[in-house]
Amino acid sequence: MAGSGTFRIVVGVDGSDQSRAAMDWAVEESRLRAGEIQALTAWNFPYVSDALGTAWDYDIFQKDAQAILEAELERVKDRGAAITGRIVEGNPASALIDASRDADMVVVGSRGHGGFTGMLLGSVSHQTIHHARCPVLVIREPE
């Protein structure tokens, strides 16, 4: 148990079908173990800008992350699991790896909204399974 005596699951939430499947699994596992879930959504500023030097509306990135997290928490709110949400500015894999220090398990989708959707494993899930401080469960795309 992650220090508190309660089984703690961290779930990566990005709004994709895979992250919803990860949350669904985590909710059921949490209920079986009388545990708790921390839903984690990470956001960061884009690495590129356009050639015209257009200024980004930086608030929109955090607002989008907040909307994604709130929608997911709303979707699972009546399923009988103790769930808290957290938004982190930064690389999603780094945020999950950092959160794994206080978790008993991290659950992620096999791939999210990245540009390489044909890959079997996305970069965030790949980095998380190699560097997390606890077991990681990767949920594949729902049929």
Side-chain angles (χ1 to χ4, degrees):
M1 307 298 166
S4 66
T6 300
F7 194 82
R8 186 160 186 240
I9 303 171
V10 172
V11 181
V13 174
D14 69 1
S16 68
D17 290 342
Q18 293 83 8
S19 83
R20 285 190 289 275
M23 178 63 84
D24 292 341
W25 187 92
V27 165
E28 292 305 313
E29 188 67 15
S30 176
R31 289 176 55 213
L32 290 171
R33 295 178 180 257
E36 61 188 31
I37 298 170
Q38 180 183 72
L40 181 66
T41 301
W43 66 277
N44 53 16
F45 298 117
Y47 295 114
V48 296
S49 63
D50 65 15
L52 300 175
T54 304
W56 291 98
D57 177 5
Y58 290 110
D59 290 340
I60 197 72
F61 298 104
Q62 184 174 4
K63 289 177 185 175
D64 283 349
Q66 184 72 40
I68 288 168
L69 181 60
E70 287 175 2
E72 185 63 3
L73 293 175
E74 179 67 23
R75 187 180 73 84
V76 297
K77 72 178 182 180
D78 295 327
R79 295 196 188 171
I83 306 173
T84 58
R86 182 173 164 219
I87 295 180
V88 175
E89 179 185 352
N91 176 281
S94 295
L96 288 164
I97 292 163
D98 186 52
S100 75
R101 297 173 196 270
D102 298 319
D104 295 295
M105 177 177 282
V106 173
V107 184
V108 294
S110 58
R111 52 190 169 81
H113 285 303
F116 302 102
T117 55
M119 296 177 66
L120 295 177
L121 194 64
S123 62
V124 172
S125 52
H126 186 263
Q127 290 178 44
T128 304
I129 61 174
H130 287 289
H131 300 289
R133 304 287 185 161
C134 65
V136 178
L137 177 66
V138 179
I139 302 292
R140 292 182 50 163
E141 184 173 1
E143 299 284 331

